[in-house]
Amino acid sequence: NHKAYHIWVDSHDLEERKRNAKDIYGTEEVKPRFSVSLCYGYLDGDLFQTDNFQEVIDWVENNPKTEEEIELTKEYV
């Protein structure tokens, strides 16, 4: 858990994503379907967003957490 990113997956249905944007973010701006954050509960925003899951996989593989990020993650776990 200390080294893993948290990947949020939103609905494939655009109308549901619109509702989720309003409920989660308080905006009508539809966010990309996949969001990567440092860890669950980390409030400083997403590190990466995309509508393509393969891009998520590639991003995570190419962006391992630094020692500092691992320590920060431990604070939230």
Side-chain angles (χ1 to χ4, degrees):
N1 287 337
H2 297 312
K3 294 185 180 182
Y5 287 108
H6 191 94
I7 300 170
W8 297 93
V9 181
D10 205 346
S11 176
H12 66 280
D13 180 71
L14 183 58
E15 291 305 312
E16 186 170 346
R17 285 173 51 205
K18 287 179 183 178
R19 289 189 297 275
N20 290 343
K22 188 171 184 176
D23 291 342
I24 296 168
Y25 300 105
T27 181
E28 295 188 16
E29 176 188 350
V30 176
K31 303 287 185 176
R33 186 162 179 229
F34 305 103
S35 299
V36 180
S37 62
L38 188 60
C39 57
Y40 184 85
Y42 185 70
L43 301 176
D44 284 350
D46 297 313
L47 301 172
F48 181 72
Q49 293 182 329
T50 184
D51 287 316
N52 182 314
F53 193 69
Q54 184 60 53
E55 290 178 3
V56 171
I57 293 169
D58 294 341
W59 189 90
V60 169
E61 286 179 351
N62 292 311
N63 292 280
K65 284 185 179 178
T66 63
E67 289 297 322
E68 181 179 307
E69 289 172 324
I70 291 170
E71 290 304 313
L72 183 57
T73 300
K74 289 178 183 179
E75 295 178 24
Y76 286 90
V77 175

